[in-house]
Amino acid sequence: MTRNASCYITKRRAFVSIITFSIAYIYNDHVISIHSILESGSTILNLQNGNPNPTSTFTSSFGEIPNKISGQLNSFANQVGYFNLSCPFEMSKTSCAFLEYSEEDRARTRISSEYYKSVIRNAFDSTFFSGSNNQNTAKRVFMTGDSLTRQLFISLVCNAFTLYDGLVEHTEINWKEVDPCRNPSLCKIKGGEHGTFDAASVKFRGGMEVHFVPHKGFKDKGTAEVHVLERLAAEASNMGRVTFGKRTAMQPGGPVDVLVYNVGIHFGMDEFRDKLEYFVNKVTIPLIRKNLSARPRIIYFTTPTQHFNTSDGTFQGWRGSEWSLKCVDEVESNPRADIEKKILAPGVNIDVLLDYDDLNFGMMHVGKHDCAHYCMPGLPDTVAAKLLDLMK
């Protein structure tokens, strides 16, 4: 389905305050200053800085949340770029405002929205409207992963569409007629717009393009690329560069300038490690060693922390008890991120590793047995804003 941004609802300007993140760049166990980012490439996004700690401020019972906050929540639509399906590219199953059933849900929506509204605009301003960066915006980005990567794509297109008139020049998002959703409490919209999609593309004013193609998760054979790693590996070995493949929603305007990748959460830990090592040994190292100007900038973002009530916080199947599928506020570690940070070495086998400290953000997940995806708008927008900055 082809989307033209001019056909949609009148977009409001959102007045968003800016948080200055305290960023540390780490390489070989040493903290490096911001001026060394091009040499190191490792970025830790401090999600705590300038924001309330969700674990200490909001209790599990939400006892500290005022009982009457519905009116306050309604005002968020006038303060943020998108909210409660106001963006035509949102998916209903991660819109916590749309999924509200209880006071606890409303509290989850509130803290996620508070987080979101303070970080977005600066990233877009510096990328698309800074005179010194005009030449850097005409880039073509290939994002491949599962639904966690898709959340970052949604954030990029929804913020661009709702915050800036005319910034989104063209989009193609293939909404599924039927959403193969396994969780009825999240599937209020069962198909069509605001349901679910696989491959999607957006072109921004100035020429920048972002193309998302899933490799795992719910997908159609024609709109996903299950063996994307094998294709990227063959291209890296034979050509010293990679292409978009044949599954993008619209035809790319040129070669891949930036590759954004994440293994995702649909593999067990052993297979997860194998996939990541394959990505490094067969894709990134061959590209970096060839040292060709045609190769893309390679960005990997660490897998968001899961907050299931299990031994390590990760999802361990649908056979658990009702309680075991509820989200906990905080976990001690993120097993997938720990593996990623051991294997990936910025400046050696990856250009940029985007990491962030979300161990105590369990309260900002969608909930209703989904402790893997965060509410939108919410924490994914914070990560997407930094990702956008790193694409420049």
Side-chain angles (χ1 to χ4, degrees), residues 32-152:
I32 302 175
S33 72
I34 188 171
H35 303 292
S36 301
I37 182 172
L38 293 180
E39 286 73 31
S40 72
S42 182
T43 299
I44 294 184
L45 180 58
N46 183 358
L47 299 175
Q48 318 286 342
N49 187 36
N51 292 284
N53 183 320
T55 303
S56 62
T57 305
F58 297 89
T59 65
S60 296
S61 63
F62 295 85
E64 297 180 34
I65 300 293
N67 290 328
K68 297 181 180 180
I69 61 175
S70 299
Q72 299 175 38
L73 287 174
N74 290 336
S75 68
F76 279 126
N78 297 319
Q79 301 177 42
V80 300
Y82 71 99
F83 184 80
N84 196 10
L85 305 189
S86 65
C87 169
F89 316 113
E90 281 185 85
M91 289 177 55
S92 59
K93 67 180 68 175
T94 54
S95 172
C96 287
F98 181 76
L99 295 173
E100 285 180 3
Y101 293 96
S102 65
E103 196 70 18
E104 180 175 323
D105 291 340
R106 286 189 287 275
R108 181 179 292 109
T109 301
R110 178 176 177 81
I111 189 171
S112 296
S113 299
E114 287 282 8
Y115 234 84
Y116 160 77
K117 69 179 182 177
S118 59
V119 300
I120 298 304
R121 190 161 210 132
N122 191 43
F124 280 84
D125 283 346
S126 64
T127 299
F128 293 104
F129 299 103
S130 172
S132 62
N133 289 324
N134 283 341
Q135 298 302 315
N136 293 331
T137 59
K139 290 188 174 181
R140 290 164 293 272
V141 181
F142 182 42
M143 301 179 69
T144 184
D146 61 9
S147 56
L148 299 174
T149 306
R150 181 174 57 192
Q151 281 197 287
L152 301 186

Side-chain angles (χ1 to χ4, degrees), residues 139-176:
K139 290 188 174 181
R140 290 164 293 272
V141 181
F142 182 42
M143 301 179 69
T144 184
D146 61 9
S147 56
L148 299 174
T149 306
R150 181 174 57 192
Q151 281 197 287
L152 301 186
F153 174 87
I154 291 172
S155 174
L156 292 175
V157 68
C158 278
N159 283 296
F161 179 79
T162 54
L163 289 174
Y164 304 96
D165 290 334
L167 181 55
V168 174
E169 185 175 291
H170 182 77
T171 66
E172 290 194 20
I173 297 180
N174 299 314
W175 294 102
K176 293 184 178 182

Side-chain angles (χ1 to χ4, degrees), residues 1-3 150 171-177 192-193 196-201 212 220 222-223 247-250:
M1 181 181 298
T2 300
R3 297 294 184 194
R150 181 174 57 192
T171 66
E172 290 194 20
I173 297 180
N174 299 314
W175 294 102
K176 293 184 178 182
E177 293 183 5
E193 192 168 305
T196 192
F197 63 84
D198 286 332
S201 300
F212 166 72
D220 295 327
T223 57
R247 299 297 176 88
T248 56
M250 72 182 187

Side-chain angles (χ1 to χ4, degrees), residues 338-363:
D338 291 342
I339 293 172
E340 290 161 337
K341 286 181 280 189
K342 287 179 181 178
I343 293 176
L344 298 172
V348 179
N349 57 24
I350 200 83
D351 290 317
V352 179
L353 175 62
L354 175 56
D355 185 24
Y356 37 90
D357 49 346
D358 65 338
L359 296 178
N360 63 333
F361 283 72
M363 202 165 299

Side-chain angles (χ1 to χ4, degrees), residues 205-220:
R205 188 177 69 218
M208 182 176 181
E209 300 174 10
V210 182
H211 302 268
F212 166 72
V213 176
H215 62 62
K216 196 67 175 174
F218 293 130
K219 57 195 179 299
D220 295 327

Side-chain angles (χ1 to χ4, degrees), residues 347-389:
V348 179
N349 57 24
I350 200 83
D351 290 317
V352 179
L353 175 62
L354 175 56
D355 185 24
Y356 37 90
D357 49 346
D358 65 338
L359 296 178
N360 63 333
F361 283 72
M363 202 165 299
M364 294 171 66
H365 283 293
V366 172
K368 303 174 182 64
H369 298 182
D370 184 353
C371 306
H373 299 89
Y374 286 110
C375 293
M376 296 189 75
L379 196 144
D381 299 282
T382 311
V383 179
K386 187 58 187 176
L387 178 62
L388 180 65
D389 185 56

